[in-house]
Amino acid sequence: MINETMYQRGAESSVIREIFSYACARKAEIGADRVFDFSLGNPSVPAPDAVRESIEHSLAEVPSMALHGYTPAPGIPEVRAAVADSLNRRFGTTYTAADLFMTVGAAASVSCALHALVSPGEEVVVIAPFFPEYRVWIENAGATCVEALADPETFQLSIENIRAAITERTAAIIIDSPNNPTGAVYPREALEGLASLLEEENSHRAEPIYLISDEPYREITYGAEVPWVPSIYEHTVVCYSYSKSLSLPGERVGWVLVPNTMAGAPRVMPAVAGAARALGFVCAPALFQRVVADCVDEPSDVKAYRANRDELCRALDAAGYAYVQPDGAFYLWVRSLEPDAAAFCERARAYELLPVPSDSFGVPGWIRIGYCVAPEVIRGSIPAWQALAMEYADRR
Ligand code: PLP
């Protein structure tokens, strides 16, 4: 019998994908340069040369069986050791290969972490607005997704709202900084505040509340510090991928880190391995695991994103839009010019502007502009953003 839940998941289309499909169809109709598609988080910066060099080197030097064969389920030991060494250099930690499990991207990292740390019937707190797939992954683990609103002005963590969202069934909290969709980066003091709250809660529990730090945008920042969360809160599992930092979203490679400094690590890491086994996510792509080892310290090129961000912010400032100051990731979180963000996005379509309404991220009244696009898209869209704002000004 077809699984009705899975059928619904597949049949319901994601709003982001729907807008992207509309953009493709519209480009075919009126020309690509006349449509301003800000829907997807697909990096617009090419993968660094070091990625191609690594692939060419592997193809030339590594025998086919080793190159294309199954790797151990958690990943190639040397690759995991290279990642651990890189983290140790950057964050002063003492991780080893045994602390890392290679995955098929952050989607698998977060899914494995959830299945490992959360039992059916428990609750997972997310910070709204949140990446919509979190709800799917949480519910797939048999748990309930509980929303804690971020601060409504700054979109930073609201410790009070998180406190109110925690119940005795709370097993984990997911945070995502630099944030999709707001671009906010959580400063050290905010994370320390969260750690204090969780430690206070843990003092009357048998098992701690785990923090799942989903960090695919860690390297995409414009100067803000992105603190190393396990150094602030012991019971943190880090989920990472190279989709954004090395512009490799189609290659599906990332990792879960269960720090050896976490008291529960001897049981958590086998649970992550068990979750990967149960979900069928073992053995991340072998060639790209090798790319990770070769490119582990490769810096992310954020110049183009910074230039896009700055140009877009200048244009939106001039047109009178309000937005959250983006310190990282490649999304701008802009206040909708009418309370119904979906209606606003519908109006924007008349100007060939295609942002995503905030309702899909769990809050009303905002839009997400993904500025990981060619600079011409930003430049070309500016008159349209101005005209859209004028239309609303004329209505008042
Ligand atoms: N988490 C967040 C916050 C994301 O924005 C994304 C992708 O956009 C993912 C996880 C999934 O990343 P990946 O493509 O590496 O699976």
Side-chain angles (χ1 to χ4, degrees), residues 105-107 131 134 137 176 180 214 216-217 241 243-244 252 331:
F131 182 54
Y134 288 162
W137 301 335
D176 151 38
N180 175 11
D214 179 28
Y217 301 95
S241 94
S243 298
K244 319 290 173 173
R252 316 307 303 140
Y331 307 105

Side-chain angles (χ1 to χ4, degrees), residues 153-169:
E153 294 301 319
T154 61
F155 290 89
Q156 288 291 331
L157 295 175
S158 161
I159 301 300
E160 278 325 297
N161 290 350
I162 297 173
R163 187 192 299 279
I166 291 175
T167 73
E168 60 193 14
R169 288 189 300 282

